């Protein structure tokens, strides 16, 4: 029985110096890792705070860049001159001082309420006015490209039409047809054309697959190269 055994059998081994050192080292390592994580989290909070403060400036810069892309060289020079020397239109200001504020407010209201003259249906820019007609023609926005796979959706401009093949809506339409949205179908907009092309591609893939009975070759004792079917047929007849 266990009660009759000597106590030294159940004595625990006293911890050595190496085990104590390893325990302390592991504790220090965990503490250092926790401090690094706290430091990284603190830095992330500081970066997010700075980003939130700079967000209005970044958005204003993006809007200004988009506006400059749609401006002509003359409009850019005029804007630079206004930034450097102020507005060059001083006549209306003097008249507004003489005539009072009522006339100025009524003129502003009439300008804002006036309908925009846009007989050609040019898209509006960032300022709510039609973009220049040369830019409208340059991007081909006067042409519409329909896509039956996307639910007869029409895309304005060649650029929008080309990029929509990689978008989620077109990919979902191809997936609904059971067709992978690969580069082979780029430019295909009709369902019937896509299905016919997919059938031809499947036939082509089947033809390109390796067929051992036809493509595998054997060589007889005389050095003649034969297909596997021919070699097995001659071997059964004992002609090899």
């Amino acid at each position: 029985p266990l009660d009759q055994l000597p106590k030294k059998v159940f004595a625990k081994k006293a911890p050595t110096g190496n085990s104590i050192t390893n325990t302390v080292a592991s504790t220090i390592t965990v503490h250092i890792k926790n401090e690094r994580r706290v430091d990284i989290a603190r830095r992330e909070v500081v970066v997010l705070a700075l980003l939130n403060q700079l967000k209005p400036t970044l958005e204003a810069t993006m809007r200004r860049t988009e506006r400059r892309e749609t401006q002509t060289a003359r409009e850019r020079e005029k804007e630079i001159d206004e930034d450097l020397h102020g507005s060059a239109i001083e006549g209306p200001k003097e008249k507004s001082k003489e005539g009072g504020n009522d006339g100025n407010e009524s003129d502003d209201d009439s300008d804002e309420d006036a309908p925009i003259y846009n007989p050609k249906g040019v898209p509006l820019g960032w300022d709510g006015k039609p973009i220049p007609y040369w830019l409208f023609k340059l991007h081909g926005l006067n042409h519409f490209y329909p896509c039956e796979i996307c639910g007869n959706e029409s895309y304005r401009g060649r650029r929008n039409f080309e990029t929509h093949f990689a978008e989620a809506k077109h990919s979902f339409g191809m997936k609904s047809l059971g067709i992978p949205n690969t580069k082979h179908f780029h430019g295909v907009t009709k369902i019937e054309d896509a299905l016919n092309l997919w059938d031809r591609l499947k036939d082509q893939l089947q033809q390109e697959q390796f067929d051992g009975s036809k493509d595998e070759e054997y060589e007889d004792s005389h050095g003649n190269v034969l297909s596997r079917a021919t070699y097995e047929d001659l071997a059964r007849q004992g002609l090899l």
Side-chain angles (χ1 to χ4, degrees):
L2 297 178
D3 298 337
Q4 297 179 1
L5 293 175
K7 294 184 179 180
K8 63 180 181 180
V9 176
F10 303 98
K12 296 182 179 179
K13 186 178 180 181
T16 60
N18 292 331
S19 62
I20 296 174
T21 304
N22 294 334
T23 304
V24 174
S26 62
T27 305
I28 295 174
T29 303
V30 172
H31 182 65
I32 292 173
K33 290 182 178 180
N34 291 334
E35 287 184 350
R36 289 180 179 176
R37 292 175 181 175
V38 173
D39 188 24
I40 292 173
R42 186 184 297 110
R43 292 182 180 181
E44 289 179 353
V45 172
V46 173
V47 171
L48 290 176
L50 294 174
L51 181 61
N52 290 331
Q53 292 181 358
L54 295 175
K55 190 174 182 179
T57 305
L58 295 175
E59 291 178 352
T61 304
M62 293 173 62
R63 290 194 300 269
R64 185 180 180 86
T65 303
E66 292 176 356
R67 186 177 73 248
R68 284 184 174 273
E69 290 179 354
T70 59
Q71 287 179 335
T72 61
R74 184 176 180 182
E75 291 174 346
R76 292 177 185 172
E77 293 177 357
K78 183 179 179 181
E79 185 177 359
I80 293 173
D81 293 337
E82 290 180 356
D83 292 339
L84 295 176
H85 308 291
S87 180
I89 304 174
E90 297 179 354
K93 291 184 178 180
E94 296 177 355
K95 291 181 181 179
S96 62
K97 291 180 180 179
E98 296 177 357
N101 295 329
D102 296 337
N104 191 7
E105 292 178 357
S106 62
D107 292 340
D108 292 340
D109 294 338
S110 62
D111 292 340
E112 293 178 357
D113 297 337
I116 299 175
Y117 182 72
N118 190 12
K120 296 184 179 180
V122 179
L124 302 180
W126 61 270
D127 54 354
K129 297 180 180 179
I131 63 175
Y133 191 69
W134 65 268
L135 187 64
F136 174 76
K137 296 287 287 184
L138 178 65
H139 291 285
L141 300 178
N142 55 330
H143 298 288
F144 291 88
Y145 300 90
C147 181
E148 187 179 359
I149 299 175
C150 296
N152 293 322
E153 182 76 17
S154 294
Y155 295 91
R156 191 168 195 170
R158 188 70 188 180
R159 181 180 179 183
N160 295 332
F161 175 71
E162 292 290 340
T163 56
H164 100 278
F165 288 103
E167 295 177 354
K169 188 172 185 179
H170 190 83
S171 298
F172 179 77
M174 295 289 288
K175 186 177 180 181
S176 300
L177 297 174
I179 303 174
N181 189 22
T182 60
K183 63 180 181 179
H184 302 91
F185 299 92
H186 186 83
V188 180
T189 58
K190 293 187 177 181
I191 296 176
E192 184 179 358
D193 295 342
L195 294 174
N196 293 334
L197 179 58
W198 176 233
D199 292 336
R200 290 199 299 270
L201 288 175
K202 287 192 294 185
D203 295 339
Q204 184 178 356
L205 291 174
Q206 290 178 357
Q207 293 176 1
E208 292 177 355
Q209 289 181 352
F210 179 78
D211 188 0
S213 61
K214 296 181 181 178
D215 300 331
E216 193 173 356
E217 295 179 345
Y218 288 81
E219 184 177 354
D220 60 4
S221 58
H222 299 287
N224 299 320
V225 178
L226 306 172
S227 64
R228 188 178 72 178
T230 305
Y231 182 86
E232 292 177 352
D233 189 18
L234 294 176
R236 283 194 297 269
Q237 297 177 14
L239 300 177
L240 293 178

